[in-house]
Amino acid sequence: MAKPTAVVDYQICDPKKCSEDGKCPAIKKCKHKALQQEAKGEAPAVFGLCMGCSTCVTACPLKAIRLI
Ligand code: SF4
Ligand code: SF4
């Protein structure tokens, strides 16, 4: 069975609500550097290295990240 992958729900994610500087706090928690932002204030995206560890799911205060 394939490993689960984190996905960001862009209907829910709002960097202004979870950080003062626009940096997604869940990104700092990803040891695999799979979650990245193109710019401060933009919603992050998951790239190919996600290990499905769910650390970012727990770290997102708006519950905008889930594993599928
Ligand atoms: S994924 Fe969660 S923690 Fe990251 S910017 Fe969006 S709402 Fe904030
Ligand atoms: S599930 Fe784990 S590896 Fe994947 S983006 Fe989240 S913290 Fe990173």
Side-chain angles (χ1 to χ4, degrees):
M1 209 166 80
K3 257 190 321 233
T5 299
V7 292
V8 179
D9 185 332
Y10 296 110
Q11 304 289 326
I12 300 172
C13 174
D14 186 350
K16 291 189 299 295
K17 289 187 181 162
C18 59
S19 73
E20 286 185 9
D21 61 3
K23 287 187 192 167
C24 167
I27 284 180
K28 293 179 209 148
K29 301 287 185 180
C30 178
K31 286 187 282 194
H32 304 284
K33 302 194 188 310
L35 196 62
Q36 295 176 23
Q37 264 174 315
E38 286 197 6
K40 284 184 201 172
E42 289 192 6
V46 180
F47 292 89
L49 302 165
C50 177
M51 304 301 281
C53 69
S54 83
T55 304
C56 60
V57 175
T58 309
C60 173
L62 301 187
K63 301 196 186 318
I65 310 174
R66 62 194 167 91
L67 294 183
I68 58 167

